[in-house]
Structure formats: C-alpha cells, structure tokens
Amino acid sequence: MESLGPKRVRSRTTAASLALRAPLERLYRDFDYAGRVERDAIRFPLRYPDPRDREVVALLTACLAYGRVDLFGHALEGVLAAMGSPWAFIRDFDPDRDAERFRDFIYRFNRPRDVVAFCVAARDVLARHGSLEKCFIAGDPDPAGPIGPALERFARAFLEADLRGVFPGGQRSRGYRHLFPLPSAGGPCKRLHLFLRWMVRREPPDFGLWTSVSPARLLIPLDTHVENMSRAIGLTRRRSRTWRMAEEVTSRLAAIDPDDPVKYDFALCHKRMSGDCRDRRDLVVCGPCGLRAVCRHWKGRRG
Ligand code: SF4
C-alpha cells in the first residue's frame, strides 16, 4: 500500500478540520448552555461569586469529577456545606479541629482522610503562593509551550505536600493519589484539563479567572462522551483514551480555532450525555443534528 508522506497527511488533516469548522461553530454558538449547566459539575464552583472560593471549589470539584455528576455531587455537597466559605476554611484549616466535619464523606475510591489531605495540601499551596493560579505559574517552565509540564508540577504540588499528619508513614492513600493524575503517566487527565478549562477560558460557561494562562494552550478534557463524539466526527481514530488522544483531538480543533481550541468541549460532551447523539445512525435523533455532514455514521449515505 502506498504510504502517505507527512505533507499529504497534514493536508488531509487540514481539509478534514476545515470541513468541521462551520458545523462545530454552529454547535458552539447555538448550544443551550443555560439548560445544561445545572447538570454539569461546573454548577458547584459557579455558586461562589468570590474568585478565591470559586478557584478552590473548582479544583476540589474537578478532582472528584469521576463518575456521574449526581453521584459525586451528592458527596461533594456534604463537603461544601461543612466548609462555609471554602477559601477561608482552607486557609485556616486545622486537621485536629476540622477533620471531624468530613466524617460522613464517602465517594467510590475516596474517604474522609482524602478530603482532609486535600485541605492540608491546598492550605499550604495557598500559604506559599497566594492562589492556585500563582502556584501553576510558578511551575510553568514555558508560558508559550505545551501545558503538560506545568500541569505535572501543579499536580505534584499536591501529591508531594507534607501530609505526614494525615497519612502516618507518609504513604498517600490510593484515593488521594487518584485525585491528582499525572500527565507523565500518559492518561488523558480529564479532570485536570476540565479544571483548567473552567479557570482559563474567557467565555461562558467558563470563568476566565486565570488571565495569565492562554486558552490556546489547553487540551480537551477527554471523557467517554467527548471521546465518542470525537470519533464520530473524525477528530481521532485512536482506540485508547490517552494523553495522546487528547492532543490529537485538540490539534484538530486548533486547526479550526487556534486561540481557543477547547471551546467546543462543553457542547460536544453534553450533546452525547443528554442523548442528543446516540453514537449511531438514528433517523429521529440524527435528523436535526448539524454534524450529520461530517459524521462517520452518515458518510456515504443520503440523509
Ligand atoms: S449525525 Fe447522529 S450519530 Fe452523528 S453526531 Fe449527529 S446525532 Fe451523533
């Protein structure tokens, strides 16, 4: 079989991305964000108007955002209720005095001591840097470069915090380690990218609080819904949901909007999550879909 040279591969990629531009832009522009925000994890940090509260709640929410929103949301509600003002609570956190407040917390891999460890690590990060954004910037080796190295150091700031008072012997629990996936492990790190999308992107529903990080550097928060949609419209052919897949999907989207490639994430994710896409040819569901012309389930078929 004839092998394609890099130039031809690149030109095919660009042509495919250009074909996606109009339908994706329409999806982004016309999507009913208000109707879906309350079903999304973003609703938790959105409740907090003070940027300091919003920043720490966004990180805690994103860390716990594995599984269905209603399930982790129920556990998160208890933690947030115990905190009052989350930023002030974390700033003054004393595990001997405050750990008891989380005694009823349980969510899949996570137990009360994982929340206590989060509060201790976040308290020390805030004391050292002043904000999570400043911590991220301090570990960013190249503000114009890929986001991976900065995200790695940010996650390590929490993983390598002094937690001897929480984990006797210094061995972090599996649940705590699960809160902070490392880019160097090769996984998609969806929850950390979701946190960055919330903090960095300037347009709603995202917050745009981290003005020192460019949205052009973000990678797509690749969950199962975005993975399915990405395959359906040809953003990737990879089989495994990995960091490389997130890079590939993002680079295709960057060919459409290099300044803000992950702006399509919310709409793509919720289109699939809401049942407006079943990841198969369905005459009723696909009928009004604006992505039909670029969808692999409809390629070569007349609508
Ligand atoms: S055409 Fe159908 S399967 Fe394809 S993206 Fe749209 S709703 Fe999903």
Side-chain angles (χ1 to χ4, degrees):
M1 186 192 289
E2 181 199 3
S3 78
L4 296 175
K7 257 191 182 163
R8 285 184 61 191
V9 171
R10 208 176 307 128
S11 67
R12 277 189 181 185
T13 302
T14 306
S17 296
L18 291 179
L20 281 167
R21 173 176 286 155
L24 275 180
E25 286 295 333
R26 227 175 3 253
L27 177 72
Y28 175 69
R29 195 186 58 229
D30 297 342
F31 196 77
D32 176 18
Y33 295 93
R36 293 298 301 178
V37 154
E38 277 306 308
R39 293 166 185 261
D40 191 275
I42 201 171
R43 75 173 189 256
F44 297 104
L46 258 180
R47 282 181 199 163
Y48 295 86
D50 185 324
R52 299 171 303 179
D53 287 330
R54 188 171 281 187
E55 187 183 55
V56 293
V57 172
L59 181 61
L60 178 60
T61 302
C63 286
L64 289 171
Y66 59 97
R68 283 185 9 216
V69 177
D70 53 337
L71 298 180
F72 77 77
H74 179 73
L76 179 61
E77 290 284 14
V79 173
L80 295 177
M83 285 180 163
S85 162
W87 176 79
F89 178 84
I90 286 174
R91 178 196 59 196
D92 301 331
F93 187 71
D94 176 351
D96 293 336
R97 183 190 62 212
D98 300 323
E100 180 64 9
R101 296 184 186 217
F102 305 130
R103 67 178 178 277
D104 296 329
F105 172 84
I106 182 166
Y107 178 62
R108 293 182 61 182
F109 310 132
N110 292 115
R111 297 294 180 269
R113 65 180 178 172
D114 301 326
V115 180
V116 174
F118 177 95
C119 292
V120 170
R123 179 197 67 195
D124 294 350
V125 162
L126 291 176
R128 195 172 318 123
H129 297 281
S131 71
L132 299 181
E133 180 182 18
K134 286 183 179 153
C135 171
F136 188 87
I137 298 303
D140 190 352
D142 178 4
I147 206 78
L151 201 55
E152 177 91 10
R153 292 188 186 178
F154 184 72
R156 286 191 183 280
F158 285 82
L159 288 171
E160 296 169 4
D162 183 355
L163 298 171
R164 284 170 293 185
V166 185
F167 301 115
Q171 181 67 35
R172 278 94 178 111
S173 66
R174 177 182 173 226
Y176 185 71
R177 284 183 278 120
H178 187 262
L179 296 179
F180 298 99
L182 289 171
S184 56
C189 298
K190 169 244 163 176
R191 290 169 287 139
L192 290 178
H193 290 309
L194 186 63
F195 169 66
L196 288 183
R197 197 202 85 202
W198 291 344
M199 303 315 297
V200 171
R201 280 204 65 248
R202 318 290 197 243
E203 289 178 14
D206 301 309
F207 313 138
L209 291 175
W210 285 16
T211 52
S212 48
V213 181
S214 166
R217 299 175 68 200
L218 300 179
L219 288 189
I220 195 117
L222 200 61
D223 65 6
T224 181
H225 306 299
V226 176
E227 178 189 6
N228 288 340
M229 292 300 297
S230 296
R231 283 215 191 84
I233 61 175
L235 295 173
T236 185
R237 286 186 179 174
R238 289 179 184 273
R239 288 171 181 270
S240 311
R241 197 158 71 236
T242 59
W243 183 273
R244 280 181 183 274
M245 183 189 272
E247 285 182 326
E248 182 181 57
V249 170
T250 307
S251 74
R252 294 283 173 92
L253 296 174
I256 301 169
D257 190 338
D259 296 328
D260 192 7
V262 307
K263 71 184 192 186
Y264 312 101
D265 174 60
F266 188 99
L268 285 172
C269 177
H270 279 269
K271 182 174 172 59
R272 177 86 177 100
M273 193 196 295
S274 66
D276 279 350
C277 172
R278 294 189 176 163
D279 198 24
R280 60 181 161 79
R281 194 165 182 258
D282 182 302
L283 287 175
V284 174
V285 175
C286 297
C289 178
L291 298 174
R292 209 166 52 172
V294 290
C295 176
R296 71 185 167 114
H297 300 297
W298 287 83
K299 283 273 166 70
R301 297 177 193 256
R302 293 168 69 90

